Amino acid sequence: MAQIKNVMASLDMSGYADLVMDYIAELLKDRTDAEVVIYSVINQRDIDHIEDVRNYFVGLGNQGVTTQKYIDKETAARTEHMNMLGEKYLGSKGIKYSVKIATGHPAEMIIKKAKEGPFDLIVMANKGKSNIAKALFGSIALRVLRHSPVPVLSVRKFD
């Protein structure tokens, strides 16, 4: 069995982030040589909606509502949240982590980041924030699972 040392934690801003991080912390406990990249993608669909709303409500453009301001605000919020999760679950246990925020279509960006590597494993929730979720498995998680160049651990929340 391959040794798991480099892990990508694929997170959105949903309530599943803590669950994913808890799994990673347990998986890497006592592994001070491990490194985790906490990776979050601002969905291009959301960015496009900002532009749509801006164009629909003519006055918003004059009020400084721009896609760049949305991206900057979302990047700052995600960076803060992901760093808090990283410290809580990893840093406090001596596991190295970094936070990377990207924009684009989440499944494509996660797969691209996985190919850039080096990753031994991707850990993600089987559902997230998407409002277009499949009945049993999130559409983003399903695409990553099917196309990832590395193994994917899908974390599920049981009610």
Side-chain angles (χ1 to χ4, degrees), residues 53-128:
V53 168
R54 227 177 132 243
N55 291 333
Y56 185 74
F57 296 104
V58 179
L60 288 179
N62 297 332
Q63 295 175 18
V65 176
T66 66
T67 53
Q68 191 57 53
K69 283 186 179 180
Y70 169 77
I71 291 168
D72 292 344
K73 183 178 176 185
E74 190 67 18
T75 298
R78 286 177 189 241
T79 300
E80 181 181 347
H81 186 67
M82 301 305 156
N83 273 311
M84 182 273 302
L85 290 170
E87 187 54 37
K88 177 180 176 182
Y89 290 99
L90 304 173
S92 63
K93 295 171 177 68
I95 300 169
K96 290 179 258 173
Y97 72 93
S98 61
V99 173
K100 306 288 183 201
I101 309 295
T103 59
H105 298 284
E108 293 172 15
M109 297 303 293
I110 294 164
I111 292 164
K112 179 181 176 187
K113 186 73 172 170
K115 288 178 180 175
E116 293 171 359
F119 295 105
D120 304 311
L121 181 68
I122 297 172
V123 182
M124 63 190 303
N126 67 344
K127 291 206 180 217

